[in-house]
Amino acid sequence: MIGMVAWAIIRYPFQRRTAKIAVTRSMGGVGDKVLLILAVAGQFLIPMFYVISGFPAVADYAFRPVQAYLGVAAILMALVMFRLTHKQLGNNWSITLEIRQGHRFVTDGVYRYMRHPMYTSFFLLAAGQALLIQNWVAGPVGLVSIAALVLGRISREEKLMIDAFGDEYRAYMRRAKRIVPWLI
Ligand code: SAH
């Protein structure tokens, strides 16, 4: 829960700031909004509901300290990465897929090693949650919904970036992987 609050605090100023900047190109659409709603449900609403109600208790399993330590470590890494990506994307960030007025193509900082480090932070947060919540449904549901969001939008996002930045983005695709540096 502390992780969720920290997440919202990190994002809030960027949401306010970018709301004022005009969008020049968009590839969000209804599909992306549906995926976002599913991600919020899987990552926040269902786990919160479980924490408050204890449902579905049949899927509970025993507490293992090592799992909890790993979970806290994953959430801390997620928050650091989430903050870094917001700082580096700055006014170019959007909750959906958009190119804004004066959009700058960012390839420095963590973007040097991955094309989608913010999605890496989503996966880290979801993995932390899966480790911390000892329930076979409420634990991993965030991982499933984040995987759906990222798989559902990543190719369209890259097409949008190629439309906007052309060969510069194509060259970037050759030097940086998507989610895990040097791997995927
Ligand atoms: N996929 C990125 C960014 C997520 S925010 C990440 O995981 O870090 C989504 C917005 O970021 C999209 O509107 C897209 O246009 C923009 N974006 C993605 N990569 C970018 C980059 N390298 N530089 C600038 N904007 C980028």
Side-chain angles (χ1 to χ4, degrees), residues 48 88 133 147 159 173:
M48 284 285 241
Q88 278 152 15
I133 298 179
K159 190 175 173 314
M173 290 172 91

Side-chain angles (χ1 to χ4, degrees), residues 93-94 96 98 103-104 106 111 116-119 157 161:
W93 172 78
S94 286
T96 176
E98 291 168 341
H103 201 112
R104 191 172 70 84
V106 178
Y111 284 87
H116 302 285
M118 193 177 289
Y119 300 157
E157 178 168 344
M161 292 300 287

